[in-house]
Amino acid sequence: MGSFDDDCAEQPLSPTGRLFLHPKWNLVVHCAIGFKNPIDIDAIKYRLKTSLLLSHPRFSSLVVRDSHGVEHWQKATHIDLDRHIIILHNPVSTASQPVDHETAVNDYLADLSTSRGLSTDKPLWEVHLLMAHNCCVFRLHHALGDGVSLMYLFLADCRRANNEEKLPTLAYGKTRGKKRVDSSIGKGWWVLLIGFLSMVWFNLVFVVEFVMRSLWVCDRTEISGGDGVELWPRKLATARFRLQDMKLVKKAVPNATINDVLFGVLSSGLSRYLEHRTPNALPEGLQITGLAMVNLREQLGLQELSDMMKNNSPGLSWGNKFGMILLPIYYHKTNGPDDPLAYLKRAKVMIDRRKQSLQAYFSYKTILSAMPYFGAKVTAWLNNNIICNTSFTISNIIGPEEEITAAGNTVTYLRVNSTTGPHALTMHLVSYAGKVDMQISVAKDIIPDPAFLANCFEEALLDMKEAASRNATISN
């Protein structure tokens, strides 16, 4: 992946970075940052000039190709900030009627998601300042890094709103260094043997499933996309959740996690939406398979990471380190006798089985192995196939626990989406200060009403919360 202190002099891109630069993908991440106060352009420029972002080799390097067509990072001689900062003073919505700030920003992001990629005659990032909407949009090519590494880099230059001397707090930075209890202690040999055999079995099943999805097995549902759908016009909507509601729901099912709740909400919300779109037309239990992105890097605390970056630690790796898992969810009629928490229980069983497999590592290693032997074209074809043969993509990034400031301005929201792929439905979640926002990007000719879909997800969590509260009252 390369280390932080690498001068990037003609350093080859990682296999994953090369994949994201392939014309079939050309994947760009959009991070929308809302501000409480009007944007100070000079403060933004000053913060960028002094930020860890610009001191990072990847953000000050060009992508060049050698005589064999292999991409390399080449250090740029000068960074012209004026070429990277796009300032838009007027409202950006193209709607015929006045719209609110959220709708205007989402419309702008939807247009960006089908626009051309970033110019390769400058480092692969831009900052769009939407002055009328107090919003800053970072455009970052995915070849620069994955969502977790990019979030780390952004937060390293932010501070807590209630204490500007301190870095933000990330939930997964708290457990680093703590002792873990070995769950195998006290178990008989036969229990360990069954666990080992289960792991081997699930690995075999899920790897075979992954290969079959890459080659010929595919979904055929009302929300399925396909090859070429990445060029279709897009719409974007935001679903909002309270992290406290998710925590309350997860307590209703023993050993459940926030991710279990998230996938239960996904299953319930899609069932509601499909029942609205095609009443009584779909068979009960219809499988809808998606792709979930799984972070594979070690989770560092933000203070530890910031210190390593400032000290140019050679042990700090960057780039893209994540895998994909197949995520099957099932359609169930929501007007039946089913308990809303049944979606969570089914999701937990499914996720627990996935945890016993190495499917995410298998998908990651497949890219690393396929690129040197088969080249970018074949690797892109294999990855494009698995997207065409599934119905949706979902990713989840953990953000700061408290409100933060960036360039001295309080941040009101953090939201992420990306340029489009063959999926007609792509969902990106980011948590921030007790809230979780899901950006729902759809091909509007297949899913014309993403705002209604967002409402389905929100109602699914509220129904689960009500059921969990009711169960807790009965137990007491």
Side-chain angles (χ1 to χ4, degrees), residues 16-51:
T16 313
R18 292 186 62 200
L19 174 65
F20 289 143
L21 275 168
H22 190 273
K24 192 70 176 175
W25 285 59
N26 202 15
L27 197 59
V28 179
V29 178
H30 302 141
C31 180
I33 305 164
F35 290 111
K36 181 178 181 180
N37 301 310
I39 295 175
D40 184 333
I41 298 174
D42 291 334
I44 294 287
K45 288 184 176 181
Y46 176 78
R47 173 50 65 187
L48 284 173
K49 288 178 181 178
T50 59
S51 69

Side-chain angles (χ1 to χ4, degrees), residues 53-54 59 79 81 84 118 123-127 139-140 144:
L53 183 144
L54 281 191
F59 290 82
I79 303 297
L81 277 183
H84 289 270
L118 295 164
L124 298 176
W125 60 273
E126 290 178 348
V127 178
R139 296 194 77 202
L140 307 158
L144 294 171

Side-chain angles (χ1 to χ4, degrees), residues 174-314:
K174 292 180 177 180
T175 58
R176 179 172 168 77
K178 292 184 180 180
K179 293 183 178 180
R180 296 176 180 266
V181 178
D182 188 347
S183 60
S184 65
I185 295 176
K187 293 185 178 180
W189 65 268
W190 58 274
V191 175
L192 298 178
L193 177 61
I194 291 175
F196 174 75
L197 292 176
S198 296
M199 181 187 69
V200 172
W201 170 250
F202 284 126
N203 271 300
L204 176 63
V205 169
F206 294 145
V207 166
V208 170
E209 181 187 20
F210 197 88
V211 172
M212 292 171 65
R213 282 281 171 178
S214 298
L215 298 176
W216 70 86
V217 176
C218 63
D219 276 8
R220 288 288 183 265
T221 68
E222 292 292 321
I223 61 172
S224 297
D227 197 24
V229 171
E230 64 270 19
L231 303 176
W232 294 16
R234 295 274 157 166
K235 292 180 74 173
L236 195 67
T238 304
R240 299 182 193 79
F241 310 102
R242 293 178 65 246
L243 193 57
Q244 191 60 39
D245 291 345
M246 290 185 169
K247 291 178 179 179
L248 175 64
V249 171
K250 83 180 181 71
K251 291 179 181 179
V253 175
N255 301 316
T257 66
I258 293 294
N259 277 339
D260 296 334
V261 175
L262 168 61
F263 295 130
V265 167
L266 186 62
S267 179
S268 176
L270 283 177
S271 292
R272 290 165 183 259
Y273 179 77
L274 290 172
E275 187 176 348
H276 169 77
R277 281 280 301 272
T278 55
N280 303 316
L282 299 178
E284 182 75 8
L286 172 70
Q287 178 175 318
I288 305 166
T289 305
L291 289 175
M293 304 297 114
V294 179
N295 174 49
L296 299 178
R297 67 175 68 249
E298 182 184 12
Q299 303 294 358
L300 301 175
L302 193 55
Q303 183 64 58
E304 181 180 4
L305 177 91
S306 180
D307 292 342
M308 292 175 72
M309 293 169 71
K310 290 176 181 177
N311 296 328
N312 289 335
S313 171

Side-chain angles (χ1 to χ4, degrees), residues 128-430:
H128 294 211
L129 301 180
L130 313 185
M131 304 299 291
H133 307 289
N134 288 357
C135 179
C136 167
V137 177
F138 271 92
R139 296 194 77 202
L140 307 158
H141 203 287
H142 220 315
L144 294 171
D146 55 33
V148 173
S149 61
L150 295 175
M151 176 65 79
Y152 271 135
L153 193 57
F154 167 69
L155 292 180
D157 283 307
C158 296
R159 294 297 181 267
R160 300 183 194 179
N162 60 2
N163 188 339
E164 296 207 358
E165 298 298 318
K166 291 188 177 182
L167 287 166
T169 306
L170 291 173
Y172 50 40
K174 292 180 177 180
T175 58
R176 179 172 168 77
K178 292 184 180 180
K179 293 183 178 180
R180 296 176 180 266
V181 178
D182 188 347
S183 60
S184 65
I185 295 176
K187 293 185 178 180
W189 65 268
W190 58 274
V191 175
L192 298 178
L193 177 61
I194 291 175
F196 174 75
L197 292 176
S198 296
M199 181 187 69
V200 172
W201 170 250
F202 284 126
N203 271 300
L204 176 63
V205 169
F206 294 145
V207 166
V208 170
E209 181 187 20
F210 197 88
V211 172
M212 292 171 65
R213 282 281 171 178
S214 298
L215 298 176
W216 70 86
V217 176
C218 63
D219 276 8
R220 288 288 183 265
T221 68
E222 292 292 321
I223 61 172
S224 297
D227 197 24
V229 171
E230 64 270 19
L231 303 176
W232 294 16
R234 295 274 157 166
K235 292 180 74 173
L236 195 67
T238 304
R240 299 182 193 79
F241 310 102
R242 293 178 65 246
L243 193 57
Q244 191 60 39
D245 291 345
M246 290 185 169
K247 291 178 179 179
L248 175 64
V249 171
K250 83 180 181 71
K251 291 179 181 179
V253 175
N255 301 316
T257 66
I258 293 294
N259 277 339
D260 296 334
V261 175
L262 168 61
F263 295 130
V265 167
L266 186 62
S267 179
S268 176
L270 283 177
S271 292
R272 290 165 183 259
Y273 179 77
L274 290 172
E275 187 176 348
H276 169 77
R277 281 280 301 272
T278 55
N280 303 316
L282 299 178
E284 182 75 8
L286 172 70
Q287 178 175 318
I288 305 166
T289 305
L291 289 175
M293 304 297 114
V294 179
N295 174 49
L296 299 178
R297 67 175 68 249
E298 182 184 12
Q299 303 294 358
L300 301 175
L302 193 55
Q303 183 64 58
E304 181 180 4
L305 177 91
S306 180
D307 292 342
M308 292 175 72
M309 293 169 71
K310 290 176 181 177
N311 296 328
N312 289 335
S313 171
L316 179 61
S317 65
W318 212 255
N320 290 279
K321 192 172 183 181
F322 66 93
M324 300 181 289
I325 63 170
L326 294 171
L327 186 70
I329 62 175
Y330 300 91
Y331 167 77
H332 294 280
K333 292 181 173 62
T334 54
N335 59 358
D338 231 359
D339 174 7
L341 294 174
Y343 290 98
L344 170 56
K345 295 170 185 175
R346 286 190 289 260
K348 175 173 169 48
V349 171
M350 182 269 294
I351 294 296
D352 285 348
R353 289 174 178 171
R354 257 54 187 174
K355 288 177 181 177
Q356 296 186 57
S357 81
L358 299 175
Q359 192 178 88
Y361 288 93
F362 174 78
S363 65
Y364 175 66
K365 293 295 185 182
T366 297
I367 295 176
L368 296 186
S369 302
M371 187 67 75
Y373 290 105
F374 302 109
K377 186 174 182 179
V378 173
T379 307
W381 176 81
L382 285 170
N383 281 271
N384 192 68
N385 257 20
I386 198 166
I387 295 178
C388 290
N389 291 342
T390 50
S391 291
F392 62 86
T393 301
I394 186 167
S395 70
N396 182 20
I397 300 174
I398 298 176
E401 292 187 340
E402 60 278 296
E403 283 193 340
I404 62 173
T405 62
N409 203 340
T410 301
V411 173
T412 55
Y413 62 80
L414 293 173
R415 293 171 186 161
V416 170
N417 75 307
S418 66
T419 49
T420 58
H423 277 154
L425 173 60
T426 304
M427 295 160 285
H428 298 280
L429 291 96
V430 179

Side-chain angles (χ1 to χ4, degrees), residues 8-13 18 21 61-67 69-76 120-122 124:
C8 292
E10 296 296 322
Q11 183 189 14
L13 268 72
R18 292 186 62 200
L21 275 168
S61 298
L62 304 175
V63 172
V64 297
R65 288 180 171 84
D66 62 20
S67 58
V70 177
E71 297 87 349
H72 292 71
W73 296 109
Q74 183 181 77
K75 186 72 174 178
T120 56
D121 65 350
K122 62 182 181 182
L124 298 176

